[in-house]
């Protein structure tokens, strides 16, 4: 079955969506990611959508679901690389991705995740996980 | 008004929704629409194709590249023989959904188009036409 690869890098999971996703593929990614967050105990998920030419309400909902599910599993999600035309369209469509953190590119997204991780550690005073 | 290209595709699976997006993009490019306008019409096409599939039980889309004297554009007509929409005004409200989605498909597609027309009869089906001009 067709799947979008999920890479593990340290405490983080990286996903680059490079295909025009049909709806079942999007659902599979959502399920796979939540599984991987649980099994790898990832602290963060970075989703690169710079190849996506559109984000419609279905994909928008998937991104929101992934962010919500990963938060429940104690991981942060950052969506990076949204094209400007996609952002304009998304807002006009009526979707502003509430609850989804975004960053301009992978580098900024990564430092956002690392910043959030460090902040939480200070708050909780927790060490390894 | 001259129709310079005319293509009809069937919408029976979520892969078909992807193909509709691709063909709509090609037509939008060939009509000279800018990137933002392309993105808007393709996104609207994706929403309406999914509606045709999920609510209409599948159907067809007719994609036309149209030229008037003044401008060039793209007209998409989605048609299904599904259950129809009893209350169109309600269906056009943001957030109204019967399908478990976000309820933005129809209202969002209307906002993303320059012209929007919907015709539906309960028990017979639904036809939605959108146009985006260059």
């Amino acid at each position: 079955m067709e799947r979008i690869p999920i890479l593990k890098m340290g405490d983080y999971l990286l996903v680059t969506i490079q295909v025009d996703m049909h709806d079942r593929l999007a659902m599979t990614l959502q399920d796979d990611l939540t599984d991987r967050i649980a099994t790898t105990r990832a602290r963060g998920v970075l989703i690169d959508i710079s190849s996506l030419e559109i984000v419609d309400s279905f994909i928008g909902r998937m991104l929101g679901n992934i962010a919500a599910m990963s938060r429940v599993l104690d991981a942060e999600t950052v969506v990076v690389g949204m094209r400007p035309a996609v952002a304009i369209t998304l807002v006009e469509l009526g979707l502003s991705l509430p609850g989804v953190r975004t960053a301009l590119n992978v580098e900024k997204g990564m430092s956002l995740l690392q910043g959030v991780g460090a902040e939480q550690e200070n708050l909780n005073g927790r060490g390894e996980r | 008004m001259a129709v310079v290209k005319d293509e009809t595709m069937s919408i029976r699976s979520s892969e078909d929704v992807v193909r509709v997006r691709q063909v709509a993009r090609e037509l939008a490019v060939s009509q000279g629409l800018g990137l933002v306008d392309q993105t808007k019409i393709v996104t609207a096409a994706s929403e309406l194709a999914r509606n045709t599939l999920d609510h209409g039980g599948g159907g067809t889309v007719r994609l036309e590249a149209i030229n008037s004297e003044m401008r060039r554009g793209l007209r998409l007509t989605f048609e299904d023989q599904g259950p129809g929409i009893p209350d169109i005004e309600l269906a056009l409200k943001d957030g109204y959904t019967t399908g478990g989605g976000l309820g933005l498909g129809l209202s969002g597609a209307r906002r993303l188009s320059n012209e929007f027309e919907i015709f539906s009869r309960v028990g017979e089906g639904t036809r939605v036409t959108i146009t985006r001009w260059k």
Side-chain angles (χ1 to χ4, degrees), chain B residues 6 10 28 31 35 39 52 56 60 69 73 81 84 101-102 106 115 124-125 128 133:
Chain B
D6 189 343
S10 78
Q31 285 296 80
L35 186 57
T39 309
T52 300
T60 57
E69 276 172 29
Q81 275 76 49
L102 296 169
L106 211 51
E115 287 162 34
E124 288 181 22
V128 180
W133 297 105

Side-chain angles (χ1 to χ4, degrees), chain B residues 11 41 44-45 47-52 55-56 60-64 74-81 84-85 88 91-92 105-111 113 115-121 125-131:
Chain B
I11 303 170
I41 189 83
E47 299 293 343
L48 294 177
R50 186 174 297 108
N51 277 355
T52 300
H55 303 298
T60 57
V61 57
R62 182 175 181 193
L63 305 103
E64 295 166 285
L74 186 61
R75 181 167 64 203
L76 311 178
T77 306
F78 296 82
E79 212 163 354
D80 66 61
Q81 275 76 49
I85 303 170
I88 289 179
L92 276 168
L106 211 51
S107 54
R110 178 160 72 166
R111 276 193 297 272
S113 314
E115 287 162 34
F116 178 94
E117 239 180 280
I118 181 164
F119 178 82
S120 187
R121 193 165 278 165
T126 302
R127 185 179 67 233
V128 180
T129 305
I130 57 171
T131 309

